[in-house]
Amino acid sequence: MDPDDAFECEAWVRGFRRVAGVDEAGRGPLAGPVVAAAVILPRRSRLEGLRDSKLLSERQREHLYAQLLTAALDSGVGVVDADVIDELNIIEATRLAMVRAVRHLAPA
């Protein structure tokens, strides 16, 4: 078992049939929105290079993005604008973006 599968395996053991991976982008810059994506891949799906997009070239990211969309059972995106970030704080705004991304998945 790959260490990255621990959460997913626990969810499947508990009876969940669809498990989403969620990540964010935009926490570092001082301006602009924070964006999160949620993706559900088929169980035991493996995409070579699916780790940290910051370690990939632009070409590698674009190739992986195409593979991800092809393999995904579903995906969702959540965006929180800068004014909400200022109102909440970056951590809570990131959580909100993640919740919004997951809410775009069907079925939930």
Side-chain angles (χ1 to χ4, degrees):
M1 174 172 68
D2 186 324
D4 291 343
D5 289 348
F7 177 82
E8 289 86 350
C9 288
E10 176 65 24
W12 291 320
V13 165
R14 294 179 58 200
F16 291 92
R17 300 206 185 281
R18 293 166 47 108
V19 179
V22 182
D23 201 6
E24 56 72 32
R27 281 183 51 169
L30 296 176
V34 63
V35 179
V39 178
I40 299 172
L41 292 172
R43 190 171 180 174
R44 307 277 186 240
S45 178
R46 297 285 179 268
L47 295 177
E48 186 66 35
L50 186 61
R51 294 260 183 234
D52 186 346
S53 65
K54 293 175 216 65
L55 302 177
L56 302 173
S57 69
E58 182 177 353
R59 183 176 176 187
Q60 289 171 317
R61 276 193 304 274
E62 289 176 4
H63 178 72
L64 190 56
Y65 176 69
Q67 288 184 306
L68 191 62
L69 289 183
T70 299
L73 298 174
D74 201 6
S75 62
V77 174
V79 180
V80 175
D81 292 322
D83 58 328
V84 178
I85 296 170
D86 292 341
E87 184 179 317
L88 296 177
N89 72 47
I90 189 60
I91 299 297
E92 291 305 315
T94 300
R95 287 185 182 135
L96 179 57
M98 290 178 169
V99 166
R100 288 177 177 175
V102 169
R103 285 185 179 157
H104 280 97
L105 299 173

XYZ file of all heavy atoms in Angstrom:
822
model
N 0.850 -1.184 0.000
C 0.000 0.000 0.000
C 0.887 1.236 0.000
O 1.761 1.395 0.830
C -0.889 -0.018 1.248
C -1.712 1.237 1.405
S -2.944 1.175 2.715
C -1.945 1.144 4.181
N 0.658 2.113 -0.935
C 1.340 3.396 -1.019
C 0.904 4.242 0.173
O -0.281 4.301 0.489
C 0.941 4.066 -2.331
C 1.692 5.345 -2.609
O 1.970 6.088 -1.656
O 1.974 5.608 -3.786
N 1.842 4.910 0.876
C 1.447 5.729 2.026
C 0.380 6.769 1.696
O -0.417 7.138 2.547
C 2.751 6.413 2.444
C 3.829 5.609 1.848
C 3.256 4.937 0.635
N 0.329 7.234 0.467
C -0.664 8.215 0.075
C -2.082 7.630 0.031
O -3.050 8.361 -0.084
C -0.326 8.808 -1.289
C 0.919 9.679 -1.247
O 1.338 10.076 -0.163
O 1.450 9.945 -2.324
N -2.202 6.313 0.074
C -3.498 5.661 0.000
C -4.141 5.430 1.359
O -5.264 4.933 1.424
C -3.373 4.298 -0.694
C -3.094 4.419 -2.179
O -3.226 5.526 -2.719
O -2.743 3.400 -2.782
N -3.470 5.774 2.446
C -3.973 5.447 3.784
C -5.356 6.037 4.037
O -6.264 5.338 4.499
C -2.987 5.910 4.851
N -5.553 7.307 3.737
C -6.847 7.945 3.965
C -7.928 7.297 3.104
O -9.012 6.980 3.577
C -6.755 9.441 3.666
C -8.074 10.148 3.814
C -8.524 10.551 5.060
C -8.870 10.385 2.705
C -9.757 11.181 5.193
C -10.097 11.012 2.828
C -10.543 11.409 4.081
N -7.614 7.104 1.829
C -8.582 6.522 0.918
C -8.952 5.106 1.345
O -10.137 4.744 1.348
C -8.038 6.514 -0.516
C -7.961 7.884 -1.143
C -6.678 8.640 -0.819
O -5.907 8.180 0.053
O -6.465 9.690 -1.424
N -7.971 4.301 1.707
C -8.245 2.924 2.127
C -9.143 2.899 3.359
O -10.073 2.097 3.435
C -6.935 2.181 2.397
S -6.028 1.792 0.881
N -8.890 3.771 4.308
C -9.738 3.853 5.508
C -11.169 4.228 5.121
O -12.128 3.652 5.643
C -9.169 4.871 6.493
C -10.036 5.097 7.711
C -10.189 3.884 8.607
O -9.318 2.994 8.598
O -11.202 3.832 9.344
N -11.325 5.161 4.214
C -12.667 5.566 3.779
C -13.379 4.408 3.086
O -14.574 4.173 3.333
C -12.571 6.783 2.852
N -12.673 3.664 2.229
C -13.294 2.539 1.540
C -13.687 1.440 2.524
O -14.754 0.841 2.395
C -12.375 1.999 0.453
C -12.215 2.955 -0.701
C -13.193 3.723 -1.269
C -11.027 3.250 -1.411
N -12.671 4.489 -2.293
C -11.347 4.215 -2.401
C -9.707 2.804 -1.321
C -10.417 4.718 -3.288
C -8.777 3.314 -2.202
C -9.127 4.255 -3.176
N -12.838 1.178 3.511
C -13.147 0.181 4.536
C -14.415 0.584 5.289
O -15.232 -0.262 5.655
C -11.956 -0.004 5.509
C -12.358 -0.744 6.767
C -10.815 -0.720 4.806
N -14.603 1.867 5.494
C -15.777 2.361 6.214
C -17.018 2.441 5.318
O -18.072 2.857 5.773
C -15.469 3.721 6.812
C -14.388 3.615 7.914
C -14.031 4.926 8.529
N -15.214 5.552 9.113
C -15.295 6.850 9.369
N -14.284 7.646 9.100
N -16.383 7.353 9.898
N -16.897 2.057 4.056
C -18.063 1.980 3.185
C -18.239 3.116 2.202
O -19.196 3.109 1.418
N -17.354 4.090 2.211
C -17.461 5.166 1.229
C -17.096 4.614 -0.147
O -16.157 3.849 -0.289
C -16.546 6.334 1.595
C -16.989 7.072 2.822
C -16.499 6.725 4.070
C -17.912 8.110 2.731
C -16.909 7.388 5.207
C -18.325 8.778 3.857
C -17.828 8.415 5.114
N -17.833 5.016 -1.164
C -17.597 4.504 -2.511
C -16.827 5.486 -3.386
O -16.206 5.103 -4.349
C -18.916 4.146 -3.171
C -19.673 3.092 -2.401
C -20.576 2.318 -3.327
N -21.414 1.371 -2.620
C -20.994 0.192 -2.183
N -19.762 -0.183 -2.361
N -21.821 -0.622 -1.572
N -16.934 6.756 -3.078
C -16.251 7.793 -3.858
C -15.476 8.679 -2.887
O -16.048 9.236 -1.967
C -17.265 8.615 -4.647
C -17.948 7.803 -5.733
C -19.185 8.449 -6.312
N -19.053 9.839 -6.666
C -19.005 10.315 -7.904
N -19.064 9.482 -8.916
N -18.919 11.595 -8.135
N -14.190 8.793 -3.120
C -13.324 9.591 -2.250
C -12.658 10.658 -3.100
O -12.032 10.348 -4.116
C -12.260 8.711 -1.547
C -11.361 9.552 -0.665
C -12.934 7.594 -0.757
N -12.796 11.922 -2.697
C -12.231 13.033 -3.463
C -10.906 13.476 -2.866
O -10.748 13.527 -1.649
C -13.207 14.215 -3.471
N -9.981 13.813 -3.734
C -8.766 14.510 -3.336
C -9.007 15.999 -3.516
O -9.646 16.416 -4.489
N -8.538 16.802 -2.573
C -8.766 18.247 -2.614
C -7.433 18.954 -2.397
O -6.650 18.566 -1.531
C -9.767 18.689 -1.519
C -10.043 20.181 -1.609
C -11.058 17.910 -1.616
N -7.191 20.005 -3.183
C -5.980 20.807 -3.001
C -6.284 22.243 -3.408
O -7.277 22.516 -4.079
C -4.830 20.241 -3.832
C -3.455 20.690 -3.330
O -3.374 21.362 -2.270
O -2.468 20.372 -3.992
N -5.404 23.134 -2.994
C -5.607 24.557 -3.261
C -4.433 25.150 -4.012
O -3.353 24.578 -4.059
C -5.832 25.320 -1.954
C -4.729 25.159 -0.907
C -3.420 25.853 -1.212
O -3.430 26.929 -1.853
O -2.373 25.324 -0.828
N -4.688 26.331 -4.565
C -3.648 27.137 -5.189
C -3.964 28.588 -4.875
O -5.134 28.961 -4.786
C -3.613 26.916 -6.698
N -2.951 29.375 -4.665
C -3.169 30.802 -4.459
C -3.033 31.275 -3.033
O -3.334 32.427 -2.731
N -2.560 30.421 -2.137
C -2.396 30.853 -0.745
C -1.171 31.742 -0.575
O -1.136 32.547 0.332
C -2.249 29.643 0.187
C -3.563 29.002 0.491
C -3.430 27.871 1.459
N -2.673 28.244 2.655
C -2.600 27.508 3.725
N -3.222 26.351 3.772
N -1.890 27.886 4.764
N -0.204 31.604 -1.442
C 1.038 32.341 -1.280
C 1.001 33.798 -1.711
O 1.556 34.660 -1.033
N 0.356 34.124 -2.826
C 0.375 35.503 -3.295
C -0.330 36.460 -2.339
O -1.199 36.061 -1.568
C -0.387 35.446 -4.626
C -0.335 34.034 -5.040
C -0.287 33.228 -3.775
N 0.035 37.710 -2.408
C -0.577 38.710 -1.543
C -1.851 39.297 -2.142
O -2.529 40.083 -1.497
C 0.425 39.831 -1.257
C 1.667 39.406 -0.481
C 2.631 40.574 -0.354
C 1.299 38.867 0.888
N -2.174 38.943 -3.366
C -3.375 39.473 -4.024
C -4.030 38.362 -4.828
O -3.387 37.388 -5.202
C -2.994 40.627 -4.936
N -5.299 38.523 -5.085
C -6.015 37.565 -5.911
C -6.753 36.532 -5.098
O -6.678 36.504 -3.879
N -7.479 35.646 -5.787
C -8.311 34.655 -5.103
C -7.511 33.441 -4.655
O -6.378 33.229 -5.085
C -9.302 34.251 -6.199
C -8.503 34.370 -7.457
C -7.630 35.594 -7.233
N -8.123 32.655 -3.785
C -7.623 31.312 -3.483
C -8.584 30.360 -4.194
O -9.798 30.575 -4.197
C -7.528 31.035 -1.963
C -8.875 31.081 -1.283
C -6.856 29.706 -1.700
N -8.024 29.359 -4.854
C -8.802 28.425 -5.656
C -8.511 27.010 -5.172
O -7.357 26.678 -4.888
C -8.437 28.547 -7.156
C -9.229 27.561 -7.993
C -8.643 29.971 -7.640
N -9.556 26.204 -5.074
C -9.386 24.799 -4.689
C -10.067 23.918 -5.722
O -11.052 24.324 -6.350
C -9.991 24.548 -3.314
N -9.533 22.732 -5.884
C -10.136 21.750 -6.778
C -10.342 20.453 -6.011
O -9.532 20.095 -5.145
C -9.247 21.499 -7.985
N -11.431 19.772 -6.318
C -11.720 18.452 -5.773
C -11.874 17.499 -6.954
O -12.553 17.820 -7.926
C -13.010 18.484 -4.950
N -11.225 16.341 -6.867
C -11.266 15.376 -7.962
C -11.497 13.984 -7.396
O -10.859 13.589 -6.418
C -9.941 15.387 -8.770
C -9.969 14.337 -9.874
C -9.677 16.766 -9.350
N -12.407 13.260 -8.023
C -12.632 11.864 -7.669
C -12.085 11.013 -8.799
O -12.521 11.132 -9.954
C -14.129 11.553 -7.479
C -14.703 12.409 -6.349
C -14.332 10.063 -7.197
C -16.199 12.309 -6.207
N -11.110 10.183 -8.474
C -10.545 9.241 -9.434
C -11.074 7.842 -9.125
O -11.457 7.567 -7.984
C -9.017 9.229 -9.338
C -8.313 10.495 -9.798
C -6.825 10.423 -9.467
C -8.516 10.703 -11.286
N -11.098 6.968 -10.113
C -11.494 5.585 -9.838
C -10.560 4.962 -8.796
O -9.374 5.324 -8.704
C -11.327 4.880 -11.182
C -11.343 5.959 -12.203
C -10.770 7.169 -11.522
N -11.092 4.054 -8.027
C -10.290 3.365 -7.007
C -9.089 2.714 -7.674
O -9.190 2.144 -8.756
C -11.155 2.315 -6.319
C -10.504 1.726 -5.110
C -11.477 0.860 -4.354
N -10.809 0.310 -3.186
C -11.407 -0.396 -2.270
N -12.695 -0.635 -2.372
N -10.742 -0.860 -1.244
N -7.961 2.820 -7.033
C -6.677 2.262 -7.498
C -6.139 2.951 -8.748
O -5.235 2.456 -9.388
C -6.774 0.760 -7.743
C -7.308 -0.028 -6.579
C -6.217 -0.335 -5.581
N -6.735 -1.211 -4.553
C -6.765 -0.894 -3.273
N -6.298 0.254 -2.869
N -7.251 -1.740 -2.396
N -6.687 4.092 -9.091
C -6.196 4.847 -10.234
C -4.832 5.435 -9.911
O -4.605 5.932 -8.812
C -7.180 5.968 -10.566
O -6.705 6.738 -11.625
N -3.935 5.386 -10.858
C -2.595 5.946 -10.683
C -2.262 6.809 -11.886
O -2.353 6.350 -13.024
C -1.535 4.850 -10.562
C -1.680 3.960 -9.372
C -1.222 4.681 -8.102
N -1.381 3.848 -6.944
C -2.459 3.838 -6.169
N -3.480 4.604 -6.444
N -2.536 3.062 -5.116
N -1.887 8.052 -11.626
C -1.427 8.931 -12.681
C 0.014 9.299 -12.362
O 0.286 9.923 -11.335
C -2.289 10.191 -12.771
C -3.744 9.980 -13.165
C -4.497 11.300 -13.154
C -3.838 9.336 -14.535
N 0.906 8.895 -13.235
C 2.336 9.159 -13.046
C 2.583 10.657 -12.911
O 2.159 11.439 -13.751
C 3.133 8.591 -14.226
C 4.625 8.692 -14.063
C 5.164 7.831 -12.933
O 4.621 6.738 -12.700
O 6.134 8.259 -12.276
N 3.240 11.055 -11.827
C 3.581 12.451 -11.620
C 2.575 13.227 -10.794
O 2.787 14.400 -10.495
N 1.471 12.584 -10.421
C 0.438 13.267 -9.634
C 0.902 13.367 -8.184
O 0.652 12.499 -7.372
C -0.898 12.529 -9.726
C -2.083 13.213 -9.062
C -2.345 14.573 -9.693
C -3.325 12.342 -9.172
N 1.599 14.430 -7.892
C 2.128 14.689 -6.553
C 2.020 16.183 -6.276
O 1.001 16.651 -5.859
C 3.581 14.232 -6.438
C 3.758 12.758 -6.544
C 3.926 12.157 -5.172
N 4.160 10.733 -5.324
C 3.454 9.814 -4.723
N 2.489 10.150 -3.920
N 3.708 8.549 -4.908
N 3.068 16.898 -6.577
C 3.127 18.324 -6.279
C 3.335 19.087 -7.585
O 4.405 18.999 -8.195
C 4.270 18.606 -5.304
C 4.312 20.039 -4.828
O 3.639 20.903 -5.436
O 5.016 20.306 -3.845
N 2.329 19.844 -7.991
C 2.404 20.540 -9.279
C 3.540 21.549 -9.334
O 4.024 21.875 -10.408
C 1.079 21.237 -9.581
O 0.827 22.257 -8.631
N 3.982 22.037 -8.169
C 5.087 23.005 -8.159
C 6.405 22.376 -8.611
O 7.332 23.079 -8.989
C 5.244 23.607 -6.764
C 4.071 24.485 -6.350
C 4.257 24.933 -4.906
C 2.982 25.004 -4.152
N 2.260 23.768 -3.927
N 6.478 21.045 -8.580
C 7.686 20.345 -8.998
C 7.680 19.991 -10.483
O 8.645 19.438 -10.989
C 7.859 19.067 -8.168
C 7.943 19.261 -6.651
C 8.039 17.911 -5.962
C 9.117 20.154 -6.282
N 6.577 20.320 -11.165
C 6.434 19.968 -12.571
C 6.649 21.182 -13.469
O 6.374 22.310 -13.072
C 5.032 19.418 -12.831
C 4.606 18.197 -12.022
C 3.138 17.888 -12.289
C 5.475 17.000 -12.350
N 7.084 20.924 -14.672
C 7.170 21.994 -15.673
C 5.750 22.320 -16.140
O 4.799 21.554 -15.921
C 8.009 21.543 -16.866
O 7.321 20.539 -17.596
N 5.600 23.444 -16.829
C 4.289 23.819 -17.358
C 3.772 22.742 -18.307
O 2.593 22.367 -18.259
C 4.370 25.166 -18.071
C 3.038 25.631 -18.605
C 3.094 26.996 -19.262
O 4.144 27.661 -19.205
O 2.067 27.383 -19.841
N 4.636 22.223 -19.139
C 4.243 21.176 -20.090
C 3.788 19.913 -19.359
O 2.786 19.305 -19.725
C 5.412 20.870 -21.019
C 5.078 19.846 -22.070
C 6.232 19.657 -23.023
N 5.915 18.597 -23.962
C 6.760 18.106 -24.819
N 7.980 18.582 -24.891
N 6.409 17.150 -25.632
N 4.527 19.523 -18.313
C 4.151 18.341 -17.535
C 2.798 18.552 -16.838
O 1.964 17.645 -16.810
C 5.216 18.024 -16.491
C 6.505 17.491 -17.060
C 7.596 17.406 -16.019
O 7.785 18.320 -15.209
N 8.333 16.299 -16.028
N 2.578 19.756 -16.297
C 1.300 20.062 -15.644
C 0.145 19.983 -16.632
O -0.911 19.414 -16.323
C 1.334 21.459 -15.008
C 1.945 21.487 -13.646
C 1.679 22.808 -12.937
N 2.124 23.968 -13.680
C 3.346 24.477 -13.646
N 4.267 23.927 -12.876
N 3.658 25.538 -14.356
N 0.328 20.532 -17.826
C -0.730 20.503 -18.830
C -1.045 19.071 -19.270
O -2.211 18.703 -19.437
C -0.354 21.373 -20.025
C -0.398 22.852 -19.695
C 0.077 23.732 -20.836
O 0.373 23.207 -21.934
O 0.146 24.958 -20.629
N -0.014 18.260 -19.434
C -0.201 16.856 -19.805
C -0.947 16.112 -18.692
O -1.906 15.365 -18.954
C 1.153 16.196 -20.090
C 1.059 14.751 -20.432
N 0.556 14.297 -21.634
C 1.363 13.640 -19.716
C 0.574 12.977 -21.651
N 1.056 12.557 -20.497
N -0.539 16.315 -17.457
C -1.178 15.660 -16.324
C -2.619 16.135 -16.154
O -3.516 15.353 -15.835
C -0.372 15.913 -15.047
C -0.767 15.109 -13.823
C -0.722 13.611 -14.096
C 0.148 15.450 -12.660
N -2.857 17.417 -16.387
C -4.213 17.969 -16.312
C -5.136 17.257 -17.294
O -6.255 16.860 -16.944
C -4.168 19.470 -16.583
C -5.521 20.140 -16.624
C -6.285 20.278 -15.467
C -6.027 20.633 -17.816
C -7.529 20.897 -15.506
C -7.263 21.257 -17.858
C -8.010 21.383 -16.702
O -9.235 21.993 -16.749
N -4.673 17.059 -18.512
C -5.477 16.362 -19.526
C -5.755 14.921 -19.094
O -6.884 14.435 -19.217
C -4.768 16.396 -20.879
N -4.753 14.252 -18.566
C -4.933 12.884 -18.073
C -5.918 12.854 -16.903
O -6.760 11.961 -16.820
C -3.605 12.298 -17.602
C -2.643 11.944 -18.706
C -1.412 11.294 -18.119
O -0.762 11.832 -17.231
N -1.096 10.107 -18.604
N -5.798 13.820 -16.029
C -6.659 13.896 -14.855
C -8.118 14.063 -15.263
O -9.006 13.373 -14.753
C -6.201 15.055 -13.969
C -6.787 15.169 -12.587
C -6.443 13.956 -11.746
C -6.272 16.424 -11.925
N -8.377 14.963 -16.189
C -9.758 15.181 -16.638
C -10.327 13.952 -17.336
O -11.513 13.655 -17.214
C -9.839 16.395 -17.555
C -9.653 17.743 -16.876
C -9.833 18.869 -17.891
C -10.605 17.933 -15.703
N -9.488 13.247 -18.055
C -9.935 12.031 -18.741
C -10.263 10.924 -17.740
O -11.267 10.229 -17.880
C -8.854 11.540 -19.728
O -8.629 12.565 -20.702
C -9.274 10.262 -20.422
N -9.440 10.780 -16.719
C -9.606 9.700 -15.747
C -10.639 10.008 -14.673
O -11.232 9.091 -14.096
C -8.266 9.401 -15.076
N -10.889 11.263 -14.399
C -11.735 11.660 -13.270
C -13.175 11.190 -13.433
O -13.757 11.297 -14.502
C -11.707 13.170 -13.100
N -13.730 10.706 -12.329
C -15.154 10.410 -12.278
C -15.945 11.698 -12.142
O -17.061 11.802 -12.626
C -15.460 9.484 -11.099
C -14.788 8.122 -11.136
C -15.063 7.357 -9.847
C -15.240 7.323 -12.351
N -15.349 12.677 -11.462
C -15.956 13.994 -11.320
C -14.910 14.957 -10.784
O -13.901 14.553 -10.214
C -17.152 13.947 -10.378
C -18.100 15.126 -10.582
O -17.897 15.913 -11.533
O -19.043 15.264 -9.784
N -15.166 16.241 -10.978
C -14.279 17.273 -10.438
C -15.085 18.526 -10.157
O -16.144 18.739 -10.740
C -13.135 17.578 -11.415
O -13.645 18.087 -12.631
N -14.585 19.332 -9.242
C -15.238 20.587 -8.907
C -14.200 21.621 -8.526
O -13.102 21.279 -8.091
N -14.550 22.884 -8.695
C -13.639 23.984 -8.380
C -14.371 24.966 -7.480
O -15.545 25.263 -7.690
C -13.168 24.699 -9.671
C -12.337 25.927 -9.354
C -12.393 23.739 -10.556
N -13.650 25.476 -6.476
C -14.187 26.508 -5.594
C -13.250 27.697 -5.569
O -12.032 27.529 -5.522
N -13.807 28.895 -5.616
C -13.016 30.126 -5.647
C -13.496 31.049 -4.536
O -14.695 31.207 -4.330
C -13.167 30.845 -7.008
C -12.352 32.133 -7.039
C -12.772 29.923 -8.155
N -12.534 31.646 -3.832
C -12.842 32.660 -2.820
C -12.039 33.902 -3.173
O -10.808 33.855 -3.268
C -12.507 32.166 -1.395
C -12.712 33.278 -0.384
C -13.362 30.955 -1.042
N -12.734 35.002 -3.393
C -12.101 36.247 -3.816
C -11.320 36.923 -2.689
O -11.546 36.659 -1.501
C -13.154 37.213 -4.363
C -13.745 36.727 -5.675
O -12.979 36.170 -6.494
O -14.956 36.894 -5.875
N -10.450 37.826 -3.087
C -9.548 38.505 -2.153
C -10.284 39.246 -1.044
O -9.827 39.246 0.104
C -8.637 39.467 -2.919
N -11.434 39.856 -1.358
C -12.154 40.591 -0.312
C -12.657 39.664 0.784
O -12.658 40.018 1.963
C -13.298 41.418 -0.908
C -14.303 40.595 -1.687
O -13.914 39.575 -2.291
O -15.489 40.982 -1.699
N -13.034 38.428 0.429
C -13.464 37.444 1.428
C -12.258 36.932 2.214
O -12.355 36.708 3.423
C -14.240 36.289 0.768
C -14.645 35.235 1.792
C -15.466 36.830 0.037
N -11.128 36.770 1.539
C -9.898 36.376 2.228
C -9.571 37.411 3.306
O -9.267 37.058 4.452
C -8.711 36.231 1.247
C -8.973 35.097 0.254
C -7.408 35.996 2.010
C -7.987 35.043 -0.893
N -9.655 38.690 2.941
C -9.378 39.763 3.904
C -10.349 39.721 5.080
O -9.979 39.997 6.219
C -9.453 41.132 3.227
C -8.333 41.347 2.220
O -7.314 40.614 2.297
O -8.481 42.231 1.368
N -11.587 39.377 4.807
C -12.622 39.334 5.839
C -12.438 38.134 6.776
O -12.572 38.269 8.003
C -13.989 39.249 5.158
C -15.177 39.295 6.071
C -16.463 39.223 5.269
O -16.572 39.901 4.224
O -17.356 38.467 5.697
N -12.117 36.957 6.210
C -12.030 35.723 7.001
C -10.628 35.483 7.564
O -10.463 35.287 8.747
C -12.432 34.519 6.146
C -13.852 34.467 5.632
C -14.045 33.244 4.741
C -14.837 34.440 6.803
N -9.669 35.389 6.720
C -8.240 35.102 6.845
C -7.940 34.004 5.836
O -8.855 33.326 5.352
C -7.775 34.764 8.284
C -8.225 33.403 8.788
O -8.103 32.401 8.089
N -8.752 33.364 10.013
N -6.700 33.806 5.504
C -6.340 32.901 4.407
C -6.680 31.450 4.719
O -7.103 30.695 3.837
C -4.854 33.064 3.982
C -4.569 32.264 2.696
C -3.929 32.659 5.107
C -5.384 32.654 1.493
N -6.530 31.023 5.974
C -6.829 29.629 6.316
C -8.319 29.336 6.138
O -8.701 28.348 5.505
C -6.392 29.315 7.760
C -4.881 29.524 7.930
C -6.796 27.898 8.157
C -4.025 28.623 7.085
N -9.170 30.193 6.704
C -10.616 29.979 6.586
C -11.088 30.147 5.144
O -11.990 29.432 4.695
C -11.385 30.919 7.518
C -11.189 30.591 8.984
C -11.529 29.150 9.334
O -12.579 28.643 8.875
O -10.750 28.512 10.055
N -10.487 31.063 4.411
C -10.844 31.242 3.006
C -10.454 30.006 2.196
O -11.188 29.595 1.289
C -10.178 32.492 2.448
N -9.321 29.408 2.517
C -8.897 28.186 1.841
C -9.878 27.062 2.128
O -10.278 26.321 1.223
C -7.478 27.792 2.287
O -6.580 28.852 1.956
C -7.016 26.515 1.615
N -10.272 26.924 3.379
C -11.270 25.904 3.733
C -12.574 26.133 2.979
O -13.194 25.189 2.488
C -11.518 25.912 5.240
C -10.378 25.333 6.023
C -10.714 25.259 7.501
N -9.569 24.730 8.217
C -9.097 25.228 9.338
N -9.694 26.261 9.909
N -8.058 24.690 9.922
N -13.002 27.380 2.894
C -14.233 27.707 2.173
C -14.105 27.339 0.699
O -15.033 26.772 0.105
C -14.570 29.192 2.336
C -15.822 29.690 1.619
C -17.063 28.914 2.047
C -15.996 31.188 1.864
N -12.978 27.630 0.084
C -12.763 27.263 -1.320
C -12.830 25.745 -1.493
O -13.413 25.248 -2.462
C -11.420 27.801 -1.810
N -12.271 25.007 -0.542
C -12.310 23.544 -0.610
C -13.738 23.027 -0.460
O -14.160 22.124 -1.190
C -11.393 22.940 0.448
C -9.925 23.155 0.154
S -8.899 22.462 1.465
C -7.280 22.570 0.698
N -14.490 23.588 0.470
C -15.900 23.197 0.642
C -16.671 23.469 -0.643
O -17.451 22.631 -1.105
C -16.528 23.931 1.851
C -18.039 23.808 1.848
C -15.944 23.403 3.155
N -16.461 24.611 -1.227
C -17.151 24.949 -2.482
C -16.785 23.966 -3.592
O -17.641 23.567 -4.385
C -16.819 26.373 -2.905
C -17.478 27.417 -2.024
C -17.084 28.825 -2.424
N -17.789 29.810 -1.606
C -17.578 31.109 -1.671
N -16.673 31.606 -2.519
N -18.260 31.936 -0.898
N -15.518 23.579 -3.662
C -15.091 22.621 -4.693
C -15.789 21.283 -4.498
O -16.298 20.691 -5.461
C -13.573 22.454 -4.645
N -15.851 20.811 -3.251
C -16.482 19.521 -2.975
C -17.983 19.591 -3.265
O -18.572 18.632 -3.775
C -16.206 19.096 -1.512
C -17.064 17.911 -1.113
C -14.722 18.762 -1.337
N -18.602 20.714 -2.983
C -20.037 20.859 -3.242
C -20.381 20.808 -4.726
O -21.530 20.552 -5.082
C -20.559 22.145 -2.630
C -20.693 22.047 -1.130
C -21.328 23.267 -0.555
N -21.460 23.126 0.895
C -21.564 24.153 1.728
N -21.560 25.395 1.268
N -21.673 23.933 3.015
N -19.412 21.019 -5.584
C -19.649 20.924 -7.030
C -19.600 19.486 -7.539
O -19.886 19.237 -8.710
C -18.633 21.779 -7.802
C -18.981 23.231 -7.815
N -18.430 24.126 -6.928
C -19.836 23.924 -8.583
C -18.928 25.320 -7.158
N -19.787 25.231 -8.145
N -19.218 18.545 -6.683
C -19.170 17.152 -7.090
C -20.570 16.567 -7.119
O -21.407 16.904 -6.283
C -18.293 16.337 -6.124
C -16.839 16.766 -6.029
C -16.145 15.997 -4.917
C -16.119 16.553 -7.347
N -20.829 15.681 -8.074
C -22.134 15.039 -8.149
C -21.952 13.541 -8.367
O -21.208 13.157 -9.250
C -22.933 15.644 -9.302
N -22.579 12.699 -7.599
C -23.290 13.082 -6.373
C -22.298 13.492 -5.306
O -21.129 13.143 -5.379
C -24.038 11.808 -5.973
C -23.232 10.702 -6.565
C -22.610 11.248 -7.830
N -22.818 14.217 -4.321
C -21.955 14.737 -3.251
C -21.248 13.589 -2.544
O -21.781 12.502 -2.430
C -22.788 15.534 -2.256
